[in-house]
């Protein structure tokens, strides 16, 4: 699933359309059924904001479009007329550019779900120290790996960056959040934020543990292990030796 850095990259690609009056249409019937194209056609796009794994496009007149890509959705931006075969859910055209949204699966005139999210990890205004206090609101008996992906506390981290961050700071995703020190939480959040910010501008860091089950740990050679975690059964990856059991 795309994590916060992917959504920030999508927001950057869409930014050249900001301040322009867009023409909109929905070639895909499911996109058409959302009513989004009709609501934004002819309006000025005022801002594009990534919040965690969500994208908010604000248009003049107080119209806001909420986009969540889940596993299958994506945004593309290119010169007008560059969209080839296929039927995107939404096409926005302005200033010689064409932004297309493919496969939804969430595209709506509704920003309420985004209001329930915690602060976006990658936002300039978000201080990792304040996020530590938010993580302390979680039930102390929940594993840290699961809590870091709970978007109500911190928005943007999924199982890839959770796994990579906890490996980097040598903390097990199974450590109970109530037993993690403030320093461990701060270190993990800080590492994730730095790595995800670098990824927004194109850095492609070598994966240490994510999708590397049974392959040797890059630090100690112990085979990486993986297991589903939390109600959503998102796979955690970790080194049982340098991150503890
Ligand atoms: Zn190791």
């Amino acid at each position: 699933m795309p994590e916060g850095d992917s959504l920030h990259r999508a927001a950057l690609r869409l930014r050249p359309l900001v301040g322009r009056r867009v023409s909109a249409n929905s070639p895909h019937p499911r996109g058409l059924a959302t009513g989004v194209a009709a609501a934004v056609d002819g309006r000025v796009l005022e801002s594009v904001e990534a919040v965690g794994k969500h994208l908010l496009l604000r248009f003049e007149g107080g119209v806001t479009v909420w986009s969540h890509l889940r596993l299958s959705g994506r945004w593309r931006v290119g010169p007008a007329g560059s969209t080839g075969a296929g039927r995107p859910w939404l096409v926005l055209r302005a200033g010689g550019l064409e932004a297309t949204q493919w496969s939804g699966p969430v595209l709506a005139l509704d920003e309420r779900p985004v209001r329930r999210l915690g602060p976006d990890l990658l936002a300039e205004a978000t201080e990792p120290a304040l996020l530590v206090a938010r993580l302390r609101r979680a039930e102390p008996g929940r594993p840290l790996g699961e809590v870091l992906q709970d978007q109500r506390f911190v928005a943007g981290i999924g199982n890839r960056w959770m796994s990579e961050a906890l490996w980097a700071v040598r903390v097990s995703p199974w450590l109970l959040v109530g037993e993690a020190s403030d320093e461990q939480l701060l270190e993990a959040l800080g590492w994730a934020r730095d790595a995800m910010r670098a990824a927004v501008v194109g850095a492609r860091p070598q994966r240490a543990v994510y999708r590397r089950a049974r392959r040797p740990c890059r630090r100690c050679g112990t085979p990486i292990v993986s297991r589903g975690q939390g109600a959503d059964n998102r796979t955690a990856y970790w080194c049982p030796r340098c991150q503890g059991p």
Side-chain angles (χ1 to χ4, degrees), residues 196-234:
M196 291 170 74
R197 279 189 171 164
V200 172
V201 292
R204 300 236 180 275
Q206 187 184 46
R207 284 178 285 118
V209 288
Y210 180 68
R211 291 188 175 164
R212 293 195 67 244
R214 293 180 298 281
R215 294 170 66 190
C217 172
R218 296 194 195 279
R219 264 193 309 246
C220 72
T222 304
I224 299 301
V225 290
S226 65
R227 197 183 340 148
Q229 192 173 51
D232 299 334
N233 203 33
R234 307 288 306 282

Side-chain angles (χ1 to χ4, degrees), residues 125-135 186:
T126 304
E127 284 291 335
L130 296 178
L131 297 178
V132 170
R134 292 187 66 89
L135 294 179
L186 199 55

Side-chain angles (χ1 to χ4, degrees), residues 67 69 73-76 88-91 99-105 107:
S67 165
L69 302 175
R74 61 194 186 279
W75 280 92
R76 280 186 193 155
W89 279 39
L90 180 66
V91 182
T100 47
Q101 203 285 320
W102 299 83
S103 306
L107 188 68

Side-chain angles (χ1 to χ4, degrees), residues 66-214:
W66 166 44
S67 165
H68 191 310
L69 302 175
R70 299 209 195 287
L71 286 172
S72 56
R74 61 194 186 279
W75 280 92
R76 280 186 193 155
V77 180
S82 62
T83 303
R87 288 192 290 179
W89 279 39
L90 180 66
V91 182
L92 301 175
R93 284 191 193 91
L97 290 171
E98 191 166 87
T100 47
Q101 203 285 320
W102 299 83
S103 306
V106 178
L107 188 68
L109 297 162
D110 183 5
E111 61 177 299
R112 282 170 301 175
V114 176
R115 291 195 206 127
R116 293 195 286 268
L117 299 174
D120 178 58
L121 178 66
L122 303 185
E124 284 299 329
T126 304
E127 284 291 335
L130 296 178
L131 297 178
V132 170
R134 292 187 66 89
L135 294 179
R136 291 287 177 217
R137 295 184 200 171
E139 286 172 53
R142 291 176 68 193
L144 177 57
E146 181 190 319
V147 172
L148 283 175
Q149 295 178 75
D150 188 329
Q151 306 294 304
R152 295 171 301 175
F153 301 126
V154 182
I157 301 177
N159 67 327
R160 174 191 173 160
W161 290 114
M162 177 279 290
S163 298
E164 294 291 318
L166 292 183
W167 181 85
V169 303
R170 301 177 188 241
V171 174
S172 169
W174 299 95
L175 178 69
L176 303 183
V177 67
E179 292 174 3
S181 67
D182 283 359
E183 290 70 29
Q184 286 174 318
L185 298 180
L186 199 55
E187 236 193 323
L189 290 166
W191 191 95
R193 182 154 95 149
D194 290 348
M196 291 170 74
R197 279 189 171 164
V200 172
V201 292
R204 300 236 180 275
Q206 187 184 46
R207 284 178 285 118
V209 288
Y210 180 68
R211 291 188 175 164
R212 293 195 67 244
R214 293 180 298 281

